[in-house]
Amino acid sequence: MRNDVLLSAAQPEITQMVGVEPIAIKYFPFLVGRETSKLSDAMSPSVKLAVPDTAPFQMSRRHFTIEQEGDSIIVRDYGSHNGTIVNGFMLGAGSRAFRAVLSPGENNIIAGTLISKFQFTCLV
């Protein structure tokens, strides 16, 4: 198991929601999604980081995961409507790709379109 994956907010507005300190990801998969109070979501895979969003939504209830795949750390779009952008590469939302391998060092993740406020930095 890897202990060297850190996720942090890349925008001040998101920092207010998730905190200033990076989140140390120690268990995989790490699911990121929109905060919801629907009872039906209680039976779905557990969201580890839930952030509030309002319509028109950029963030899906289950948007993307950070996973360990062999010796690599990957981001997988979880079938979100707007997709996930990883280091400038689109996943999901009409793209044929749904996963991207993260590079050692700093990686940029945007949940949604380029105008989304849900921008993160993932340090591997």
Side-chain angles (χ1 to χ4, degrees):
M1 181 181 308
R2 299 174 69 111
N3 292 322
D4 54 354
V5 179
L6 299 173
L7 185 68
S8 57
Q11 296 292 324
E13 188 172 353
I14 302 307
T15 301
Q16 294 174 350
M17 296 176 195
V18 302
V20 175
E21 294 298 316
I23 298 166
I25 300 174
K26 297 182 188 239
Y27 302 101
F28 301 97
F30 186 88
L31 180 58
V32 179
R34 183 175 77 231
E35 190 175 80
T36 182
S37 60
K38 288 188 177 183
L39 186 57
S40 62
D41 288 337
M43 300 305 290
S44 66
S46 180
V47 174
K48 303 298 182 202
L49 176 60
V51 293
D53 192 11
T54 56
F57 298 114
Q58 284 286 328
M59 178 76 75
S60 294
R61 288 181 295 231
R62 291 170 297 283
H63 200 99
F64 69 87
T65 57
I66 298 173
E67 305 175 14
Q68 184 171 8
E69 192 173 88
D71 289 335
S72 298
I73 299 296
I74 68 164
V75 171
R76 184 180 313 275
D77 183 83
Y78 214 69
S80 67
H81 178 75
N82 290 321
T84 304
I85 302 168
V86 178
N87 296 328
F89 183 73
M90 176 60 85
L91 305 178
S95 168
R96 298 181 88 148
F98 286 91
R99 66 182 275 291
V101 176
L102 297 181
S103 302
E106 196 171 282
N107 296 270
N108 299 308
I109 302 170
I110 302 173
T113 64
L114 284 172
I115 63 167
S116 174
K117 63 185 175 184
F118 299 106
Q119 299 183 25
F120 301 91
T121 300
C122 188
L123 184 63
V124 177

